Amino acid sequence: MPSKRQVKERTKALLRRWGPRIIALYWVKWATQTAVAYLDLVPKQLAWVDSFTPIPLWSWWAACAVLLFLGAIVPPCAGPKAQDIARYLRVAGVGLIALALCVWTIVFYAEQPRGWVSGKNYELIFLAAAASAWALGRNQVGGKQVKP
């Protein structure tokens, strides 16, 4: 029977290795739900954004989800090349989410008289996406990351 200390160390090691992938899967869930929300309806505030993009708004979020999912499913034991590709996919996915959220924030803040209510929420989510990019760009969280 492992001791409490051994269990704690194993748990920390697992979270260190799988942390970026777990965070990416959360963003996959969020982006997928957002894509579904925009399948049938584009809010009036985002109509001009939708007119500028060559693809529907829902497909932007779906593309983010796909990039993040592909980056999340590569296991920590994969080779260095696969790990690098997975990192780039995770960063690209969350980067596109942050870009879209930045646009959403600006659009909703500009909406009068109460657009700021949604704008502040998108702003906070934007900051969370930008902050999580650091963790997603790593193959493990914490400790020293040694490049081969």
Side-chain angles (χ1 to χ4, degrees):
M1 175 100 174
S3 70
K4 286 184 180 181
R5 183 172 183 226
Q6 289 172 325
V7 170
K8 185 177 178 180
E9 291 301 318
R10 285 183 189 163
T11 303
K12 284 170 71 174
L14 279 171
L15 287 176
R16 195 175 310 123
R17 284 194 316 270
W18 287 94
R21 292 152 187 85
I22 293 168
I23 296 169
L25 289 173
Y26 169 78
W27 283 111
V28 167
K29 173 188 163 290
W30 189 87
T32 302
Q33 289 173 328
T34 305
V36 170
Y38 289 117
L39 269 176
D40 297 329
L41 176 69
V42 174
K44 65 179 176 75
Q45 296 91 338
L46 298 171
W48 74 271
V49 175
D50 189 43
S51 69
F52 279 111
T53 58
I55 58 175
L57 292 181
W58 68 266
S59 61
W60 178 273
W61 296 107
C64 296
V66 168
L67 289 171
L68 283 160
F69 181 74
L70 292 174
I73 62 173
V74 176
C77 60
K81 189 79 160 173
Q83 290 293 332
D84 285 345
I85 292 170
R87 279 187 314 115
Y88 298 142
L89 288 171
R90 292 192 302 264
V91 170
V94 81
L96 290 174
I97 285 175
L99 176 65
L101 286 169
C102 187
V103 171
W104 264 235
T105 298
I106 292 166
V107 166
F108 277 94
Y109 269 129
E111 180 69 23
Q112 296 299 325
R114 298 213 12 107
W116 66 270
V117 175
S118 293
K120 70 175 179 55
N121 296 332
Y122 284 116
E123 181 180 14
L124 184 60
I125 300 168
F126 158 72
L127 291 172
S132 67
W134 174 83
L136 294 176
R138 300 175 61 89
N139 286 326
Q140 68 178 20
V141 178
K144 292 183 180 177
Q145 187 164 354
V146 179
K147 288 292 241 179

